């Protein structure tokens, strides 16, 4: 039964179903989350969830964090969760640079969501190749565009070895906007 005070959230998991590690079948994740939350749905296999709860976002994240390790065998301390309500997720969409995502035949577009870090903490670790990469830093995420044909020359991946990397989860622009549409339904 749906709680009329429930809010809809996007939940982004970091570190599950990546490179064969921390495998969590989405059907099992939905079942696990449905014990505490309403209207749980997943989108693709990389840890994207839409759910409803009457709890605030911080409490939803705490509850998910507390139960995840008990329900699933995870081999990494890097598994984290980010919970955003419609307003916060809308800020991520709205702060994207003009035209971001509009030319997928030429560019690759990724959104680096901040998880417990700030733009000021992430920005010093962003390295770009001026002929390949363009990065715009926003309040809740940074927006990375790189020339698809020259993606191997991109330096954006250097952030992986930085201290801020554990505080990021990455989604391509198609996934980011699809989640916004699901949140709006």
């Amino acid at each position: 039964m749906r709680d009329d005070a429930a809010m809809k959230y996007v939940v982004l998991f970091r570190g599950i179903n990546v490179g064969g590690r921390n495998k969590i079948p989405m059907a099992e994740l939905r079942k696990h989350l449905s014990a505490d939350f309403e209207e749980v749905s997943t989108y693709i296999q990389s840890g994207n969830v839409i759910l409803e709860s009457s709890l605030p976002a911080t409490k939803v994240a705490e509850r998910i964090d507390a139960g995840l390790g008990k329900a699933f065998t995870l081999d990494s301390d890097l598994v984290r969760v980010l919970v955003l309500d419609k307003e916060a997720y809308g800020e991520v969409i709205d702060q994207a640079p003009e035209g971001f995502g509009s030319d997928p035949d030429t560019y690759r577009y990724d959104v680096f969501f901040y998880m417990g870090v700030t733009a000021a903490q992430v920005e010093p670790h962003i390295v770009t190749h001026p002929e390949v990469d363009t990065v715009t830093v926003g309040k809740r995420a940074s927006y990375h565009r790189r020339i698809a044909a020259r993606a191997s020359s991109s330096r954006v991946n250097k952030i992986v070895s930085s201290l801020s990397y554990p505080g990021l989860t990455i989604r391509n622009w198609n996934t980011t906007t699809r989640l916004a549409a699901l949140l709006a339904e």
Side-chain angles (χ1 to χ4, degrees):
M1 184 169 163
R2 188 178 184 281
D3 180 349
D4 288 335
M7 292 184 60
K8 207 166 188 181
Y9 295 103
V10 169
V11 180
L12 303 176
F13 289 88
R14 180 191 194 285
I16 66 168
N17 297 345
V18 178
R21 295 178 63 196
N22 297 322
K23 290 278 193 184
I24 300 178
M26 292 298 98
E28 290 181 30
L29 181 61
R30 279 191 305 276
K31 181 179 177 184
H32 168 71
L33 294 174
S34 292
D36 290 320
F37 307 107
E38 302 290 325
E39 304 298 324
V40 177
S41 62
T42 56
Y43 177 70
I44 64 176
Q45 293 295 316
S46 58
N48 306 295
V49 175
I50 304 291
L51 58 76
E52 293 183 13
S53 175
S54 58
L55 297 172
T58 55
K59 295 295 183 189
V60 171
E62 287 172 9
R63 185 166 288 178
I64 293 170
D65 277 336
L68 202 60
K70 295 174 186 171
F72 302 100
T73 303
L74 304 174
D75 65 0
S76 173
D77 291 331
L78 294 179
V79 174
R80 299 187 62 195
V81 63
L82 176 66
V83 178
L84 298 171
D85 63 22
K86 283 183 184 182
E87 182 179 330
Y89 201 80
E91 286 179 8
V92 172
I93 299 296
D94 293 344
Q95 289 183 1
E98 187 173 334
F100 193 78
S102 65
D103 189 2
D105 292 333
T106 304
Y107 299 102
R108 291 187 185 165
Y109 301 93
D110 293 302
V111 180
F112 287 49
F113 289 84
Y114 309 145
M115 304 178 79
V117 295
T118 64
Q121 292 169 309
V122 173
E123 193 168 16
H125 301 284
I126 297 171
V127 180
T128 62
H129 183 303
E131 297 173 14
V132 178
D133 305 309
T134 303
V135 177
T136 302
V137 177
K139 178 182 173 185
R140 295 183 179 276
S142 58
Y143 306 86
H144 299 246
R145 183 190 81 180
R146 61 194 181 282
I147 299 171
R150 297 189 62 200
S152 63
S153 298
S154 173
R155 294 190 186 132
V156 168
N157 64 353
K158 295 208 178 278
I159 203 164
V160 170
S161 61
S162 77
L163 295 175
S164 66
Y165 184 64
L168 301 171
T169 189
I170 305 165
R171 299 297 185 276
N172 69 41
W173 185 243
N174 287 338
T175 297
T176 303
T177 56
R178 180 64 184 136
L179 290 170
L182 292 170
L183 189 59
E185 289 179 356

